[in-house]
Amino acid sequence: MSGAALGLEIVFVFFLALFLLHRYGDFKKQHRLVIIATLLAWYLCFLIVFILPLDVSTTIYNRCKLAVNSSPAESNGSYVTIAPSKQKCFKPWSYIPNGIMPIFWRVVYWTSQFLTWILLPFMQSYARSGGFSITGKIKTALIENAIYYGTYLLIFGAFLIYVAVNPNFNLQWNQLQTIGIAAANTWGLFLLVLLLGYGLVEIPRSHWNGAKRGYLLMKTYFKAAKLMTEKADAEENLEDIMEEVRKVSESIKYNHPLRKCVDTILKKCPTEYQERMGRNMDDYEDFDERQNSYPSEKSLVKLHKQVIYSVQRHRRTQVQWQILLEQAFYLEDVAKNETSATRQFVHTFHSQEPENKIIQYFYTPTVEWYWECLLRPWFYRVLAVVLATFSVIVVWSECTFFSTKPVLSLFAVFIQLAEKTYNYIYIEMACFLTIFFLSICVYSTVFRIRVFNYYYLASHHQTDAYSLLFSGMLFCRLTPPLCLNFLGLTHMDATISHRHTQPTAYTSIMGSMRVLSFIADGFYIYYPMLVVILCIATYFSLGTRCLNLLGFQQFMGDSEMTSDLIDEGKELIRREKRKRQRQEEGENRRREWKERYGNRDDSTRNRVVHTDQKESSFSETNTNRPLSKYTRSNGRTERDRIELLQDAEPLDFNADSINDDPLESDSGRYQPGGRYLSMSRSKIFDDV
């Protein structure tokens, strides 16, 4: 069992990272290198979080062995006997042999640092580049990262010159390596405390508000109003970009040297725009450089970049709008079913996706009603209380973990009590829950934050390559300081506990931070206390209020702008609900019509065909009689009449506006006002 736990966690974490990446990324459309790099970054960061508790239990066991006074401990089965105290050091079930963990941590750490500081920034610029060749994209990426890399090299070079000139410093390679690690961890810790302070308050509060049906519904209406604005902006931006593409496509003809670049841009456009542009092209006209002014390759590269961004944004807003509609409809159904006397959950609309038969068998309407209307609110309240308790413990421990006599950090107290009895299962569970909660607070904030339209992790495969790579960079920079902070909270770091004991394998590769005493004794200890101020600011929504004052609409219950957006979103949801209801009513009418008259039409059609055959044979034998052609025409007229009745659909006179019905807008039926829907303004000017 020594390596089984490590192997199982390695496999489990890989599938966990693959599942999350599949939820946010698109394996079919995005480049394979982007998927592989992001998967590797997420996988290494999650792996550190899951493997670190095993390192802690192994270190405690090794400390027990080193507690032997004079003679080495004698192994006896699964434990080591210590002669003077007659104490038994039981080997943990997840014990990892010596020499494996240092190599493992070294490979994982330096790989993640290579990804976050070198490879992923380069791939970000490569993914956003509008170049038409691999060489052009690499050139653009190198130019964009020259300032980024040059700044770090300049700082590091100045530091090396200072050390070489100053005779008081005699630094070796290991110390320079430790300084580099300390600098990276300092940058990560600075960002870690900011994200942690937000997550410690927002995660319990979001679960507590999740038990409030009215709150969730009002917030969904608010999101609908904002998303509709963003959706309209994305559509307008796409139209403007497509107009530029059309002008470029018409100016650069088939035999122009830059025509291949234009064709590459056209392939990135939506299908309807490609058909519209191809319909208006005249590829038989030659170009003349003396008469016309053509765009340069640099302008085409810029246009290509804009097309990729606008198409991705337009597709994302369309998918998010449909998801938000389903969420709003479901919350409205929950509000209606709360007062149901039958205790059967009734949906307004049927699910568009096929349901799993196993889930449908167990998750009956009665079970769904009890869960959604009774159990789920209480479950969210209990979970919010548990998470709030964890948050209070974390805040207290962050402010007191530097105190060793007495030990005030609650996590350190729990670990030291379990260490006395060598209860490794309890140690690993306590360590895992602690670091898992810290990771959830930090990583969930990374998934929630949005930097305008440059960084945004959208679920349902709608995240672009730039945001995926940026998230991998953040994870690789946040995870090492997060683990060091966890080891400090549990006093497993010798720098914090001031005990001359064997360090964990993870802290051994970090080196001794005593090389930079002002960081080890100052910044690492006192900066995490800032989390108290950040938690207070998050609790009173100071950041939300500041963004609201700056013009970025945020959901605030006491704001007039929020009330207006809620009313607007409610009207949008009501309008979309009417459209969906008319669609389903039309489908139900057509289904009922086919079920009621389908068999009769088939029998009538068969009877007409049989009559035609008889009349045809009769006309062949009696070619001199003029009655045969009338019989044939009567049969054809009967068939046309039956098919016309079969395709007919009764009109809906209860609808507010015939133009709102997407089913009727596609057909060519006559509408009030003396014109056909196929000749409406939205159709007749599509190609203009």
Side-chain angles (χ1 to χ4, degrees), residues 462-473:
Q462 299 304 313
T463 306
D464 58 350
Y466 183 87
S467 298
L468 287 177
L469 295 172
F470 190 75
S471 66
M473 290 174 52

Side-chain angles (χ1 to χ4, degrees), residues 153-169:
L153 290 176
L154 182 63
I155 296 174
F156 187 72
F159 176 76
L160 288 180
I161 294 174
Y162 175 75
V163 171
V165 173
N166 195 339
N168 297 326
F169 289 95

Side-chain angles (χ1 to χ4, degrees), residues 292-419:
N292 299 326
S293 59
Y294 298 98
S296 62
E297 185 177 358
K298 184 179 294 185
S299 62
L300 291 180
V301 169
K302 183 179 179 180
L303 181 61
H304 187 204
K305 184 177 180 180
Q306 292 175 348
V307 167
I308 295 174
Y309 169 74
S310 60
V311 171
Q312 171 68 27
R313 184 187 175 193
H314 178 263
R315 186 187 304 116
R316 186 188 68 214
T317 53
Q318 295 290 335
V319 174
Q320 288 180 335
W321 176 251
Q322 296 299 326
I323 296 172
L324 190 63
L325 286 180
E326 296 295 334
Q327 183 181 358
F329 294 158
Y330 188 77
L331 290 175
E332 289 179 348
D333 291 342
V334 171
K336 291 180 180 179
N337 283 274
E338 285 181 349
T339 58
S340 176
T342 59
R343 297 189 176 183
Q344 297 280 334
F345 198 92
V346 179
H347 293 270
T348 304
F349 303 109
H350 296 287
S351 178
Q352 298 179 356
E353 298 180 357
E355 297 182 357
N356 191 354
K357 293 183 179 180
I358 299 177
I359 298 177
Q360 190 176 4
Y361 177 78
F362 290 100
Y363 197 63
T364 60
T366 303
V367 176
E368 185 176 4
W369 187 88
Y370 276 100
W371 168 250
E372 292 293 341
C373 300
L374 291 181
L375 299 179
R376 187 172 183 176
W378 287 104
F379 173 78
Y380 270 68
R381 291 188 183 97
V382 173
L383 183 60
V385 171
V386 174
L387 293 175
T389 304
F390 266 95
S391 298
V392 172
I393 295 175
V394 169
V395 173
W396 171 262
S397 300
E398 290 286 357
C399 297
T400 59
F401 74 94
F402 60 89
S403 177
T404 57
K405 293 181 180 179
V407 178
L408 298 179
S409 175
L410 297 180
F411 295 116
V413 172
F414 297 153
I415 298 300
Q416 290 179 6
L417 290 177
E419 185 178 358

